[in-house]
Amino acid sequence: MALATTSLRSRGNDLSHADLQLKVLNTTTADASALPRFADALRKADLYPLRPTALEIFQVNLGKMCNQACRHCHVDAGPDRKEIMTRATMQACLDVLATLGDVTVDLTGGAPEMNPDFRWFVQEIHALGKKIMVRCNLTIIVANPKYHDLPEFFRDHQVHVVSSLPFYDARHTDRQRGAGVYDDSMRAMAMLNAVGYGQEGSGLRFDLVYNPVGALLPGPQAALEADFKRELHRKHGVVFNNLICITNMPISRFLEFLVDSGNYQAYMEKLVNAFNPAAAAGVMCRNTLSVGWDGALYDCDFNQMLDLPVAVAASRSILNVDLEALRDRTIVVNQHCYGCTAGAGSSCGGQIA
Amino acid sequence: MSSYYNPADLAKFGNIVEFQEELGKKFFDYYGAVFAEGALTQREKSLIALAVAHVVQCPYCIDAYTTDSLEKGATEEMMMEAVHVGAAIRGGASLVHSTMMMNKAKELMM
């Protein structure tokens, strides 16, 4: 497997700095018409200020380290990134989780499995009786013999596995995620299927994530899911439960692609023109709390990557959290938020409206 | 007007109602209904539109339905095959008329 790219950080690219990404998102150039403020779009839809609903997703980013370096990555993850969550911070997450009711713990990265305390953390969350979702990039399962038993480990802890696969062929998948990723992903899917994942009646949920390989919005989720199921089964005999369509956010490496390819303005206009109030009402930041690798708290994973912490200054770390204050917070929004409200909407759980 | 075709004009398509609202609105209602999921999928309709766009050689339509086909999950191969279907019909439409030429020639010649 070869890397599709390298991290912005390793290349010394200006867009590795969150403040410069925000500057691009908020700058109107001479040849570009001004895009309406996202906050104004929410105001028109009677959703401003955006407030949380009941907390359902406790999302934890275990670090930026990854065996892949995908061209659209919003985390700027890669093998060179060493920032990962410590066991002490995981313990702080567990302490908070113990006080929460029926929430799903959504583990993401990077490749979360590369964190040396990943399995301990999953075991502890499982012992608390919480539902667990792992954003597994598939290739990690076959990357090294020490990961080959991840399917059994996931099964034993009833982990809901969610994995990116941008298309049901190697050409599109490898273009976004690196040469050889498609073939490795098929091997990993077969290993997950072998322990029951995606198989009817097993209770082991295995979903795939589709995001467009380019400056495009995702198409209708149900139609794409039918295509993926038919083609992956026909070509490789592998199965999964649901296809989740996620819009690429105009941040980090996807922002780099948009700017470098000359697609930035048209993509933003497309997102703005497709603003859907119904999707805006259901955005994931309303029922999510996102914990960064260093324990910092955010409204969502995208705000995390843009260094936009929760608006409650006294509760910005899992080490010092005030859940009551967070329940009354105003969700921080910016121009990238159009990515979650375009068309049928986009969330970590797929299309919304 | 420096050029007959300006990519930015595609986004102004909806503005045709400015000069004739009733007919423009009827057209867009019809247009929306045509491309809704029906007996044909949205992707099939998008690929047909892409093929026709090439036959009528409309740059706006080619721009719009290249994007739309990709967003509906079509591959580059599907899109090129659709264009070949259009080209085959276009070429075939010319060639099938040669039967008229043949009929006429046979009528005229000894």
Side-chain angles (χ1 to χ4, degrees), chain A residues 94-101 128 130 323:
Chain A
L94 292 167
D95 294 343
V96 172
L97 278 169
T99 70
L100 296 174
L128 287 173
K130 306 294 180 196
L323 290 170

Side-chain angles (χ1 to χ4, degrees), chain A residues 259-318:
Chain A
V259 171
D260 288 356
S261 64
N263 280 301
Y264 172 72
Q265 184 67 21
Y267 189 74
M268 289 306 295
E269 283 172 7
K270 188 192 279 271
L271 295 182
V272 169
N273 291 336
F275 178 81
N276 178 355
V283 282
M284 64 175 177
C285 50
R286 303 190 77 181
N287 70 349
T288 300
L289 189 62
S290 165
V291 188
W293 67 273
D294 56 356
L297 298 178
Y298 304 88
D299 297 306
C300 77
D301 204 37
F302 304 115
N303 281 5
Q304 181 181 144
M305 300 315 152
L306 289 171
D307 289 342
L308 297 171
V310 287
V312 184
S315 181
R316 285 191 169 153
S317 169
I318 198 69

Side-chain angles (χ1 to χ4, degrees), chain B:
Chain B
M1 187 181 285
S2 59
S3 167
Y4 286 117
Y5 284 119
N6 179 353
D9 286 345
L10 174 57
K12 298 177 191 162
F13 189 12
N15 298 353
I16 65 164
V17 294
E18 187 183 326
F19 281 11
Q20 223 299 356
E21 187 174 355
E22 188 191 353
L23 294 177
K25 196 173 170 306
K26 282 184 173 175
F27 170 78
F28 285 118
D29 286 347
Y30 167 75
Y31 195 97
V34 164
F35 282 95
E37 187 97 0
L40 293 176
T41 66
Q42 288 181 311
R43 187 171 69 198
E44 286 164 342
K45 290 181 179 186
S46 191
L47 287 167
I48 292 169
L50 183 69
V52 174
H54 282 75
V55 172
V56 300
Q57 290 178 297
C58 168
Y60 299 119
C61 312
I62 293 172
D63 182 336
Y65 283 95
T66 298
T67 305
D68 193 66
S69 293
L70 288 169
E71 289 186 340
K72 296 292 188 296
T75 62
E76 291 92 327
E77 290 89 340
M78 290 178 190
M79 290 158 64
M80 189 56 87
E81 285 186 22
V83 173
H84 275 292
V85 170
I89 292 297
R90 189 174 188 144
S94 292
L95 284 171
V96 74
H97 281 79
S98 66
T99 56
M100 285 174 68
M101 174 271 284
M102 291 167 75
N103 289 341
K104 184 69 182 175
K106 286 175 182 171
E107 183 185 306
L108 292 171
M109 307 228 354
M110 287 178 10

Side-chain angles (χ1 to χ4, degrees), chain A residues 162-347:
Chain A
V162 182
S163 299
S164 284
L165 189 74
F167 214 70
Y168 47 80
D169 68 23
R171 188 153 69 105
H172 293 83
T173 300
D174 291 2
R175 208 185 292 169
Q176 183 188 76
R177 301 176 71 78
V181 165
Y182 181 77
D183 289 344
D184 282 355
S185 299
M186 292 305 106
R187 284 170 58 207
M189 277 186 75
M191 290 163 76
L192 286 163
N193 288 167
V195 302
Y197 273 100
Q199 308 280 9
E200 210 172 322
S202 72
L204 295 170
R205 202 166 147 200
F206 173 38
D207 295 332
L208 292 182
V209 173
Y210 165 91
N211 38 18
V213 187
L216 304 158
L217 292 184
Q221 193 162 275
L224 284 167
E225 180 181 287
D227 292 340
F228 268 67
K229 285 194 168 177
R230 183 188 64 244
E231 292 301 312
L232 290 177
H233 190 259
R234 183 179 68 81
K235 293 198 285 188
H236 308 284
V238 291
V239 295
F240 65 97
N241 295 113
N242 295 113
L243 185 75
I244 295 168
C245 287
I246 298 187
T247 303
N248 288 313
M249 290 294 127
I251 67 172
S252 196
R253 295 214 285 264
F254 190 69
L255 179 60
E256 178 197 28
F257 159 75
L258 290 174
V259 171
D260 288 356
S261 64
N263 280 301
Y264 172 72
Q265 184 67 21
Y267 189 74
M268 289 306 295
E269 283 172 7
K270 188 192 279 271
L271 295 182
V272 169
N273 291 336
F275 178 81
N276 178 355
V283 282
M284 64 175 177
C285 50
R286 303 190 77 181
N287 70 349
T288 300
L289 189 62
S290 165
V291 188
W293 67 273
D294 56 356
L297 298 178
Y298 304 88
D299 297 306
C300 77
D301 204 37
F302 304 115
N303 281 5
Q304 181 181 144
M305 300 315 152
L306 289 171
D307 289 342
L308 297 171
V310 287
V312 184
S315 181
R316 285 191 169 153
S317 169
I318 198 69
L319 301 164
N320 181 28
V321 64
D322 180 347
L323 290 170
E324 203 56 48
L326 287 175
R327 264 190 279 275
D328 292 329
R329 76 190 189 275
T330 297
I331 292 169
V332 177
V333 296
N334 208 296
Q335 294 303 83
H336 64 293
C337 300
Y338 277 115
C340 285
T341 59
S346 180
S347 76

Side-chain angles (χ1 to χ4, degrees), chain A residues 79-125:
Chain A
D80 62 297
R81 301 302 298 263
K82 307 299 180 209
E83 305 95 318
I84 57 168
M85 185 175 277
T86 63
R87 189 179 280 220
T89 306
M90 291 179 191
Q91 185 59 58
C93 291
L94 292 167
D95 294 343
V96 172
L97 278 169
T99 70
L100 296 174
D102 187 21
V103 296
T104 295
V105 184
D106 181 351
L107 300 179
T108 184
E113 303 91 338
M114 291 177 80
N115 186 308
D117 292 314
F118 169 76
R119 295 194 193 212
W120 171 81
F121 194 38
V122 168
Q123 285 161 349
E124 295 296 314
I125 300 165

